Amino acid sequence: MKSAMVRLTALVTVGVLASSCGIMSPGDGDTTGSGDDGGGSTTMRVACFGNDQRIQRVEAAVTAFEQANDGVDVQLECTGFAGYFDKLATQFAAGDAPDVIMLNSQFLGEYAERGALAELGDSVDTSRFSEVAAAEGTTADGRYGVAAGLNTMTILANTALFEAAGVELPDDTTWTWDEYATLAATITEKSGGEQYGSDAPNFGPALEHWLRQQGKEMFTDDGELGFAPSDVADFLTYLQGMGQSGGLPPASLITEQHEALEQSGVATNKDAMGWFWSSAVGAITKASGADIVILRPPSTSGSSADAGLFFKPDSLWSVNADSENAEEATAFIDFMVNSTEAGQAVLTSLGVPANSDVRDAIAAEVSGSDKAALDYVAEISDELGPQRPASPSGAGTLDNTFFRHAMEVLYERASPDAAAEGFVAEMTTALEK
Amino acid sequence: MSVSTELRRLRAGRATTRPTSDRSAYGFLSPWLIGLVVITAGPIVASLVLSFTDYNLLQDPSWIGLDNFRRMLSDDRLRQSLWVTFVYVVLGVPLQLGLALAIAVLLNRGMRGLALYRSVLYLPSLLGGSVAVAILWRQIFGTEGLINQVLGFVGIEGIGWISDPRTALYSIIALHVWTFGAPMVIFLAGLRQIPASYYEAAVVDGAGRWQVFRHITLPLITPIIFFNLVLQIISAFQAFTQAFIVSGGTGGPSDSTLFFTLYLYEKGFGELDMGYAAALAWLLLLIIGVFTAINFYAARFWVFYDD
Amino acid sequence: MTTDTARAGDVRTTSGPPPGERRRPADRGRRRKSLVKHLVLTAACLLMIYPLAWMVVSSLRPEGEVFRQTGLLLTDPRPENYERGWNALRYPFGHYLLNSLAVVVFSIVGNLVSCSMAAYAFARQEFRGRKLLFAIMLVSIMLPLHVVIVPQYILFSELGWVNTLLPLVLPKFLATDAFFVFLMVQFIRGIPRELDEAARIDGAGHVAIFTRIILPLLVPALATTAIFTFIWTWNDFFTPLIYLTSPDAYTVPVALRSFVDSQGATSWGALFAMSVLSLLPVFIAFLIGQRLLVRGIATTGLK
């Protein structure tokens, strides 16, 4: 009886042991193995996010890098966007995060301020970047990331809906917020309420344009909020007005369209205009099947030179502060952003290249809506507003928090003043953490 | 009541002696005990310790005593998430279990196409929480979705059920009830375990259908009802996936579906405030613990064990 | 399906559930009742089938039309979505299906063995600290995963097990799914103790009682455990995402997420096609598992 018991226990133990002997381990079990493995070759881990097409493009660039750098073996650890940052934070907590990591600008400040990232100094060449693009990834303490590619906020207009409503496309170099609102309301009216003139403005970025046109910024250089509740209340009052005049769909529709790009009103041919990052042009065009044109966001003054346009990196490359391969890591980043080989591999899948040489080199190789986005970014390069201060830690939640409070206004559950107060109070607490 | 006499008779021979402490029990328990010591206990204790710290995952945690718990007192969104979760537990669990039990009893009676019905009824529970499924549920409860198309036939103009703050939570509860397959399967398995001899005895005694259900089926599956109740309450308090996919992880619209664990996740991973998230987790553990304890206490009065 | 129906019919004669009906002489009323019952069930089934039908229809829609068409009407089916989806990712989709299957199989075996053992101890044996340990077991599932995963990751990382299947399957061999332990405890307690006693008188020890008496009678609970383990493990996204770093090892949910891009284009047709495909194994597993569900005491002719 006792021996049977022992056998049973042993059976389980054997099962456990058998599994731990690597019978069941897929792929390479060596994850802590950054560093030399004796033969002078270095294994470097690189994490990135995006859909699989984009990852396969990055992979092609990595292959080119490995060929150009003998003895460096790059191990790509890429996933979809969902959960990417959860995984990254967990890896940092355990001290086994990859050497090179892809971040977005919301999280860069978070990671930099908390000492997770290596200061890059001048190790990555940004001389062929525009000044504004080069400044992305830097904080008051130095450089912690390099833009992998650039996006900018655009208004995508569905020309089919403009035609159907018998409305001319606006002149996007001169239009104002008021004209935008009027145009939106007109389209809704002319369609007999079948369509709407405008998607809800992509909340956080639209607010940022609005603020910059008032000579303000999202954040100050000291990492505090760069605006007062009344500034936000003005913008929310504007949105509320658009909702009331019929220019925007009802709040519940906005909520439903908020998730995937292809679900948005412009993509489903329900809304004539919407706010999107330039990287979305392809997806929207493909989903709607209509002719989609890129417009500049409106301004307060009536001149797009004052519209406060800015670049936002699609993503940034950074180096883990604990990396034992910092040299190889910076060489990798340099290769990714400055070499034409890498540029030709990734094209615009990481946004428009910041290096103007690379941008020119790939111009002939992209077509359709990718080309349109590339041209647009080149076109507005001279019209940009002042450099944006870096996002401090705690800024990562701004877009979601603002969306929530703005929707309270559109659902008519809060006044613009109350929502603005609530938003500012919540962000202030977040930044203090 | 003759049926209960019958049951009593069946159970009578059982008052024999039970063995006292049994060392071989630890042998049977050994996998679980090893798991507890090696895998489970560490993280539980760690999360308790972290709840007294400020921990952003990137830097070492720093001790801040009860600050996280003090912060909860003035946290409006926490209060909202507690409210949402309570409503979900109080409505969702009984509705889902009631439906699951009713259908399981219905399906347990021999009938044509039984296996087919059983499989089909389980379908919605198979779907999980993938992106495609998220879109599916949003389309069904959306402004132009199935629900409103059906309502349209009878001339009612519906609203965006998941995008209206007044109805979003109830849509998720409906979705939860819809996936009653899991407890149904457990009830079915429980019903299958009732020895045929019990029913035969009852038939000999001339019991009616309702009497059989009330005095044989029901008492004999009380352990399974109890199990479902305890576990469904625990998992309802931890409800995450459905709310996450339906609201795109935001708990919106207007925080109307801000489930407790959704808020906890947002704090822990979204804002890298893992210390506070750990404190929230222990608050949840406390709440679930109290509910479970009450459940176990109350079980003495209504759960019937055959041993 | 026909054979299964036949078996379900057999069950009726052994477990003889509707004794009330047997007494009723009039057959007409009974048949009408049965018709109503089938009508109600059919209506319910339509409601239950709708989500899956919608998924299948969506998987056949032209790219992007998913969001423009809300009904079930399909005018222009595109079966090539399946071919595209199968080949869209780094590896053919079958690669991820096999990865998932490996995790699932080990998880099921682990849960069946370890949870039934623990359940037997809790349900049938007396030992010091039984109540306390049982309480601890329940408490262990009361903490949300998102808080426990970080310390747990650190633990597995220290052991060097990240990017192996160990963090995904080893816990199952150590009965960490208290859900199933508790489930089996409840079922074992439903098995009459006379059986144990009789076996003990015949000289059987606990191992013999466990393997020869309890386990055979526990089949419905074991089937339930297997089905649920399959479904939950198959659909689990977060744990494999966190623990698996090389794309070679990704499971189906992780692979499915990589169709989606938050800022760029997503191939929805391919995504839906592969989502439907990935439901197939779960459904088959359920069909197989549920046959075992009906083999309870009722059908084993136990007195």
Side-chain angles (χ1 to χ4, degrees), chain A residues 1-2 5 8-9 12-13 83 85-90 92-94 107 110-116 251-253 255-256 258-260 263 270 396-397 400-401 403-404 407-408 411 413 426 430 433, chain B residues 23-24 26-28 30-31 34 54-59 68 71 77 135 138-139 141-144 159-166 246-250 252-255 265-266 269-273:
Chain A
M1 146 80 213
K2 195 155 196 179
M5 210 43 246
L8 203 63
T9 320
V12 175
T13 323
F85 283 101
D86 304 345
K87 180 174 183 170
L88 194 62
T90 308
F92 267 104
F107 272 108
E110 210 95 49
Y111 278 73
E113 249 178 66
R114 283 156 180 173
S252 56
L253 266 187
T255 302
E256 286 175 24
H258 185 66
E259 275 312 304
Q263 228 171 348
K270 283 180 195 137
T397 58
N400 282 339
T401 310
F403 176 73
R404 205 171 67 238
M407 288 309 290
E408 291 286 292
Y411 274 116
R413 294 161 65 98
E426 214 174 297
K433 277 293 294 176
Chain B
R23 225 169 270 169
S24 70
Y26 296 107
F28 280 99
S30 57
I34 296 170
D54 180 12
Y55 182 41
N56 58 34
L57 296 173
L58 303 176
Q59 289 161 311
N68 285 328
R71 239 174 91 194
R77 296 190 77 206
I135 291 162
R138 276 190 236 136
Q139 293 281 23
F141 288 103
T143 307
E144 292 171 9
I159 55 173
W161 300 100
I162 52 152
S163 53
D164 190 311
R166 289 166 303 180
V246 168
S247 74
T250 62
S254 276
D255 280 351
Y265 167 76
E266 192 184 311
F269 282 106
E271 300 178 20
L272 297 180
D273 197 351

Side-chain angles (χ1 to χ4, degrees), chain A residues 16-35:
Chain A
V16 170
L17 282 180
S19 39
S20 54
C21 286
I23 294 172
M24 307 180 348
S25 39
D28 185 0
D30 175 26
T31 54
T32 48
S34 41

Side-chain angles (χ1 to χ4, degrees), chain C residues 184-240:
Chain C
M184 291 191 213
V185 166
Q186 295 303 88
F187 274 88
I188 293 175
R189 292 187 71 176
I191 297 171
R193 233 180 230 268
E194 299 92 271
L195 297 172
D196 302 30
E197 316 271 308
R200 185 162 299 126
I201 292 165
D202 292 346
H206 277 297
V207 175
I209 294 176
F210 175 61
T211 51
R212 287 194 216 130
I213 296 185
I214 300 295
L215 280 186
L217 293 178
L218 204 57
V219 168
L222 295 173
T224 309
T225 301
I227 292 175
F228 285 7
T229 306
F230 196 116
I231 296 168
W232 292 344
T233 313
W234 188 265
N235 288 335
D236 187 14
F237 164 66
F238 201 64
T239 324

Side-chain angles (χ1 to χ4, degrees), chain B residues 32-279:
Chain B
W32 178 76
L33 279 171
I34 296 170
L36 178 70
V37 174
V38 176
I39 295 175
T40 321
I44 291 179
V45 174
S47 74
L48 179 62
V49 175
L50 287 177
S51 71
F52 299 105
T53 65
D54 180 12
Y55 182 41
N56 58 34
L57 296 173
L58 303 176
Q59 289 161 311
D60 289 337
S62 60
W63 190 266
I64 53 167
L66 290 171
D67 275 8
N68 285 328
F69 295 93
R70 245 174 252 133
R71 239 174 91 194
M72 290 178 188
L73 298 176
S74 57
D75 187 340
D76 290 341
R77 296 190 77 206
L78 169 61
R79 214 166 305 140
Q80 168 70 9
S81 74
L82 280 171
W83 167 248
V84 166
T85 309
F86 273 118
V87 171
Y88 179 76
V89 171
V90 168
L91 291 180
V93 172
L95 283 175
Q96 194 205 36
L97 284 186
L99 189 64
L101 180 58
I103 304 240
V105 170
L106 196 67
L107 285 184
N108 189 45
R109 327 225 333 255
M111 57 188 287
R112 298 178 67 82
L114 185 83
L116 181 70
Y117 285 132
R118 206 164 38 211
S119 312
V120 167
L121 291 173
Y122 196 76
L123 271 181
S125 315
L126 291 175
L127 296 177
S130 76
V131 190
V133 175
I135 291 162
L136 157 75
W137 294 124
R138 276 190 236 136
Q139 293 281 23
I140 287 181
F141 288 103
T143 307
E144 292 171 9
L146 169 73
I147 312 261
N148 283 349
Q149 281 170 5
V150 172
L151 286 179
F153 277 123
V154 288
I156 302 172
E157 194 182 337
I159 55 173
W161 300 100
I162 52 152
S163 53
D164 190 311
R166 289 166 303 180
T167 53
L169 175 58
Y170 302 99
S171 303
I172 292 184
I173 292 174
L175 177 54
H176 177 66
V177 176
W178 201 334
T179 55
F180 63 84
M184 178 193 79
V185 162
I186 296 173
F187 280 134
L188 272 174
L191 289 169
R192 285 284 117 202
Q193 237 202 355
I194 299 174
S197 55
Y198 284 20
Y199 286 121
E200 281 153 16
V203 175
V204 171
D205 288 350
R209 190 198 292 176
W210 170 250
Q211 283 172 316
V212 170
F213 176 72
R214 175 71 190 78
H215 296 285
I216 297 186
T217 313
L218 204 56
L220 286 173
I221 59 161
T222 47
I224 308 305
I225 298 178
F226 175 63
F227 167 81
N228 268 332
L229 191 64
V230 171
L231 265 301
Q232 289 298 326
I233 288 180
I234 292 178
S235 71
F237 269 112
Q238 298 183 355
F240 181 80
T241 309
Q242 283 169 348
F244 188 87
I245 63 175
V246 168
S247 74
T250 62
S254 276
D255 280 351
S256 59
T257 62
L258 186 68
F259 280 80
F260 192 91
T261 43
L262 210 56
Y263 184 55
L264 178 149
Y265 167 76
E266 192 184 311
K267 284 286 162 193
F269 282 106
E271 300 178 20
L272 297 180
D273 197 351
M274 197 47 94
Y276 191 56

Side-chain angles (χ1 to χ4, degrees), chain C residues 1-286:
Chain C
M1 197 98 337
T2 39
T3 51
D4 206 51
T5 319
R7 185 177 303 138
D10 295 341
V11 169
R12 167 157 62 163
T13 50
T14 30
S15 66
E21 283 185 21
R22 276 184 204 169
R23 294 188 310 144
R24 200 161 298 168
D27 233 28
R28 173 104 44 92
R30 196 178 137 193
R31 206 174 294 154
R32 195 186 313 135
K33 254 192 159 169
S34 151
L35 185 72
V36 170
K37 195 167 75 185
H38 278 282
L39 277 178
V40 169
L41 276 170
T42 309
C45 283
L46 284 180
L47 188 68
M48 306 312 268
I49 284 178
Y50 184 89
L52 188 71
W54 188 90
M55 295 264 292
V56 173
V57 168
S58 298
S59 73
L60 293 169
R61 282 199 199 288
E63 205 59 68
E65 219 176 72
V66 165
F67 300 107
R68 278 180 272 158
Q69 306 282 342
T70 46
L72 286 184
L73 209 65
L74 186 66
T75 46
D76 179 17
R78 299 285 175 88
E80 66 265 27
N81 280 345
Y82 281 83
E83 201 197 327
R84 271 193 317 116
W86 184 270
N87 295 312
L89 302 182
R90 176 78 170 66
Y91 296 93
F93 203 76
H95 183 91
Y96 307 108
L97 289 170
L98 286 178
N99 282 346
S100 275
L101 207 61
V103 177
V104 162
V105 167
F106 281 113
S107 297
I108 290 178
V109 173
N111 268 347
L112 287 180
V113 173
S114 67
C115 295
S116 62
M117 284 170 67
Y120 180 78
F122 279 124
R124 280 294 202 256
Q125 296 183 290
E126 289 294 329
F127 53 91
R128 281 167 60 92
R130 189 175 72 137
K131 285 195 165 156
L132 179 71
L133 287 176
F134 193 76
I136 289 177
M137 180 189 73
L138 278 181
V139 167
S140 73
I141 53 169
M142 290 182 194
L143 277 176
L145 167 79
H146 297 112
V147 166
V148 187
I149 192 122
V150 173
Q152 206 180 65
Y153 180 91
I154 296 175
L155 174 78
F156 285 126
S157 163
E158 291 297 319
L159 292 169
W161 288 354
V162 171
N163 204 27
T164 71
L165 292 191
L166 284 175
L168 305 184
V169 301
L170 181 74
K172 316 277 180 184
F173 281 90
L174 301 176
T176 52
D177 267 334
F179 181 95
F180 298 116
V181 180
F182 189 17
L183 175 79
M184 291 191 213
V185 166
Q186 295 303 88
F187 274 88
I188 293 175
R189 292 187 71 176
I191 297 171
R193 233 180 230 268
E194 299 92 271
L195 297 172
D196 302 30
E197 316 271 308
R200 185 162 299 126
I201 292 165
D202 292 346
H206 277 297
V207 175
I209 294 176
F210 175 61
T211 51
R212 287 194 216 130
I213 296 185
I214 300 295
L215 280 186
L217 293 178
L218 204 57
V219 168
L222 295 173
T224 309
T225 301
I227 292 175
F228 285 7
T229 306
F230 196 116
I231 296 168
W232 292 344
T233 313
W234 188 265
N235 288 335
D236 187 14
F237 164 66
F238 201 64
T239 324
L241 173 83
I242 296 280
Y243 285 113
L244 302 176
T245 49
S246 83
D248 185 40
Y250 287 169
T251 57
V252 168
V254 181
L256 281 179
R257 293 296 200 290
S258 63
F259 276 102
V260 184
D261 200 313
S262 55
Q263 281 307 319
T266 301
S267 41
W268 292 102
L271 168 63
F272 271 95
M274 289 307 103
S275 300
V276 170
L277 193 68
S278 68
L279 286 178
L280 215 58
V282 198
F283 192 57
I284 293 171
F286 180 75

